[in-house]
Amino acid sequence: MTELSTSPASDLCEPTIKGRSLWHDARRRFLQNHAAVVSLVVLIVIALIAAFGPYLAAWDNETIDWAVLGDISTMGAPSISSGHYFGTDELGRDMYARVIQGTQVSLLVGLIGSAIAVVLGTLYGATSGYIGGRTDNIMMRVVDILMSVPYMFVLILLLVVFGRSMWLLFIGVGMISWLEMARIVRGQTLTLKSKEYVEAALAIGVKHHTIVLRHIIPNLLGVIVIYATLLVPQMILTESFISFLGLGVQEPNTSWGALISQGASTLQYGTYWQLIFPLSFFVVTLFCFFFIGDGLRDALDPKDR
């Protein structure tokens, strides 16, 4: 009876098991979260509408349709034949074009403001936590003092003193929203700076700022991404509140907050479309960011579920 012999060549034919990275596992867990995936798709659609929607508009956001103002029976209600898909406002301007412009402005405020807050808060918090000691105490006391100041009052004061500029609104929203990010990053840095790879980098003479940028911050990307997705809707809410008060984006530009304010003021005349369309974009976008943030939190840190 002959025995089957195994050769090294047969071992080479066996399938190799490929390892999976942490980001691969996080992506798989995120795709299993149906609410987060649907929210991501809806958010991409809204972004595409903001980018390419103006090319589908029959009217721009400033032109007044005098024919609509003269027709008392319709009062600017939504109509495909007239080219006013979302109707017109009380001045006869196309609501579709104005909602698209408001979407662009509000999303820019959320993204730019969040980017400024994330960069400042990450660098400040990582530096404070890594240095430690008296410097850490001083830097964190500065953060505590700034957090005690009502940031909405500071933002309104900046807009009143330096003018109601759109770019000032972008920068102002970001500059006063980095404090919580700094405290979160600082707490995580205190844990990471005692890890073996940081001690090895110090042993071979790597400079401190290189350790912060190449070893500390990259290992905080999960926390940073999660907080950034939750910070964007906060920025949009802040801008919308400022514009609702009439201190944000000024005519002929507009935003969701300004459109909602105008729609609420004319709701008593039955022009419901002036409120429903911008409010729908506003609410849906906020919910999408919240669901995506929850999905990223569960995917990047499943032990917190």
Side-chain angles (χ1 to χ4, degrees), residues 64 83 95 100 121 125 135 139 141 154 182 192 213 223 238:
I64 298 176
M95 280 297 298
I100 295 299
T135 302
M139 294 179 70
R141 295 301 77 76
V154 175
L192 292 178
L213 295 177
V223 177
T238 301

Side-chain angles (χ1 to χ4, degrees), residues 107-141:
L107 288 179
L108 279 178
V109 170
L111 295 176
I112 294 177
S114 298
I116 295 174
V118 166
V119 171
L120 289 178
T122 300
L123 293 177
Y124 190 94
T127 302
S128 175
Y130 179 78
I131 295 176
R134 181 176 299 179
T135 302
D136 179 35
N137 290 330
I138 295 175
M139 294 179 70
M140 284 298 103
R141 295 301 77 76

